[in-house]
Amino acid sequence: MANFKNLEMAQALSQNQHITIKKSLFGTKALYAPSQSKLEVSIVEYTPTEGERLERLLALPIEKIAAELQAKGKPAATSVGQYRLEAVVSADHQFAAVQLFRFTDFSYNAVSQLVCCEGNEVETLCKLL
């Protein structure tokens, strides 16, 4: 399982007012502040074709993402790909954030904005994973 501090989006996510970062001797722990629920980290990789589809999806409003996923299904993941989707979801499923990166010039570069949602919209982002 991935570690929060190793995420490319960790710096941007730590700026969110609803996220609390706690550092201790045993590592870094990220929490969703309103419920004190731990954030679970996921990293999924995609081929260029699926990554471009995901890039278009993340540019849509959350309602349209849900409709698109229902119509065409979620993008197919691969074990090693050019695109990388980083996601954090609170253990109580009240907060989620995702950001898409593309591997170019020996590093990951963001190709989407950090997408954060709370409440009922979380399930839509969870369907991407």
Side-chain angles (χ1 to χ4, degrees), residues 20-116:
T20 302
I21 308 296
K22 293 187 177 183
K23 295 181 181 181
S24 70
L25 182 63
F26 302 107
T28 303
K29 185 166 47 169
L31 303 172
Y32 175 56
S35 65
Q36 291 299 304
S37 182
K38 184 179 177 190
L39 295 180
E40 299 168 358
V41 176
S42 296
I43 297 175
V44 185
E45 295 196 14
Y46 298 92
T47 63
T49 304
E50 294 296 310
E52 289 168 3
R53 178 176 170 229
L54 198 52
E55 187 175 347
R56 288 189 300 274
L57 275 173
L58 291 175
L60 298 172
I62 199 78
E63 308 84 38
K64 291 192 179 193
I65 292 174
E68 183 77 19
L69 288 174
Q70 186 161 7
K72 296 183 181 176
K74 72 178 188 175
T78 186
S79 58
V80 177
Q82 185 179 5
Y83 284 82
R84 170 182 173 156
L85 181 70
E86 294 183 347
V88 294
V89 179
S90 65
D92 62 0
H93 285 254
Q94 291 301 306
F95 176 85
V98 297
Q99 189 169 18
L100 185 65
F101 296 87
R102 181 174 51 217
F103 190 77
T104 54
D105 298 328
F106 301 104
S107 65
Y108 284 102
N109 300 300
V111 294
S112 76
Q113 297 292 323
L114 179 64
V115 178
C116 298

